[in-house]
Amino acid sequence: MGRIIEVAEPIAAAGRLDQFSTLHDWRRQVADLYAAVRAMPEHEGWTHWRSVRDRLFREHPQSPLATSRRAQFRGIDCFAYDPALRFTVGMSPAIEREAIELEAGKDGTVTLIPFAMTIGLEAPLGKELTLYWIDGYGGGVFLPFGDATNGRESFAGGRYLLDTIKSADLGSHEDGRLILDFNFSYYPSCAYSEAWVCPLSPIENRLPVEIRGGERNALP
C-alpha cells in the first residue's frame, strides 16, 4: 500500500495562522490607537486617529480594502473636525426596545440587546440614541447610527460610533457619562467590499439631522 501524503490540513492550518495572527495584530493596533486618542486633546486625537487608520487601510493585511485598491488609496475622507459634535451623555434604561437579530454572513446572526438610551442628544440632534449589547462570548457595547447625510454624503447604511469588541471607544467621565464624539464616526467594513457583512444601523437610531462629522464619501 502506498504512503498517504496529507497536505490539505497543514495548508489549511497555515492559512488559519496567517488569518488569525494578522487579525490579532489589527485588533491590537486599533486598541492601542483608541487608548492613545483618549489621552490626547480632542483635535490632536482626531488627527492621530485619521493618520493611523489611513496607514492600516493602506498597509495592513486585514484592511477592508481589496489588495488591488490599496496602491491607489489616498486616505479616508472625513468631514472637517467640528467641536460642536462632541458630547458627554448620561444613560437611562432602554424601555420598550426589543432585541434585534441581524444577519452576519458566515458568522450567522448577531443579536443586539438594547440596554440603554442616551441622555443629552435630543436637544442638539433631534432624538436620543439606543446603545446595544452584542450578545455572545464576552459581548460588547455597540452604537451604530444613521443621519440625514446617509446615501448622499455618507454611507447609506449608516456609521458606527462605539464598538467595544473592536476597541472603538472614547471612554467616559468619572461620573459615568459617556464621551460620544461624532467626529470619530466610521464606516462598517461592508461599505468598502461586498466580502464583508456588517450589522447596519437600526431604524430607531436614525437621527433626523445631518451629522457632518466623521467619515464621509470620497470627494470627486
Side-chain angles (χ1 to χ4, degrees):
M1 180 180 292
R3 183 168 61 91
I4 298 175
I5 302 175
E6 297 182 357
V7 295
E9 181 57 27
I11 293 174
R16 288 195 299 270
L17 172 61
D18 180 66
Q19 175 187 358
F20 293 122
S21 62
T22 57
L23 180 57
H24 181 202
D25 181 72
W26 174 280
R27 295 276 182 91
R28 183 194 301 115
Q29 291 200 48
V30 172
D32 290 346
L33 168 60
Y34 276 86
V37 166
R38 288 193 294 269
M40 294 179 177
E42 289 89 341
H43 191 273
E44 180 184 343
W46 177 76
T47 301
H48 179 65
W49 177 76
R50 291 194 63 186
S51 174
V52 173
R53 292 186 75 229
D54 282 350
R55 176 180 58 77
L56 288 172
F57 270 59
R58 185 182 300 110
E59 301 175 1
H60 201 279
Q62 287 289 336
S63 169
L65 295 176
T67 304
S68 59
R69 293 182 58 192
R70 296 176 196 174
Q72 293 78 35
F73 178 65
R74 297 178 301 172
I76 300 169
D77 283 271
C78 289
F79 292 100
Y81 187 85
D82 183 355
L85 291 176
R86 186 179 179 90
F87 303 93
T88 56
V89 303
M91 291 186 292
S92 63
I95 306 298
E96 298 181 352
R97 290 284 193 274
E98 300 293 330
I100 301 173
E101 296 281 342
L102 298 175
E103 292 296 324
K106 64 183 180 181
D107 295 326
T109 60
V110 172
T111 302
L112 303 181
I113 301 173
F115 73 95
M117 301 289 296
T118 60
I119 302 173
L121 296 181
E122 184 170 10
L125 302 184
K127 67 182 296 184
E128 302 295 346
L129 294 175
T130 304
L131 286 88
Y132 302 91
W133 187 262
I134 299 178
D135 191 31
Y137 179 75
V141 178
F142 185 48
L143 178 51
F145 74 94
D147 70 278
T149 69
N150 296 162
R152 297 184 296 105
E153 292 184 276
S154 66
F155 179 54
R159 291 175 283 176
Y160 294 173
L161 193 54
L162 286 177
D163 185 356
T164 63
I165 288 179
K166 298 177 181 176
S167 301
D169 182 5
L170 294 177
S172 61
H173 288 277
E174 292 181 358
D175 61 6
R177 290 181 300 154
L178 291 177
I179 298 172
L180 299 181
D181 191 335
F182 288 86
N183 294 288
F184 291 82
S185 307
Y186 65 96
Y187 284 4
S189 297
C190 58
Y192 296 99
S193 171
E194 294 181 355
W196 302 84
V197 179
C198 308
L200 302 180
S201 176
I203 295 297
E204 63 194 37
N205 265 14
R206 298 274 172 165
L207 295 168
V209 298
E210 292 183 341
I211 302 297
R212 306 190 83 251
E215 192 166 347
R216 62 179 298 174
N217 291 345
L219 296 175

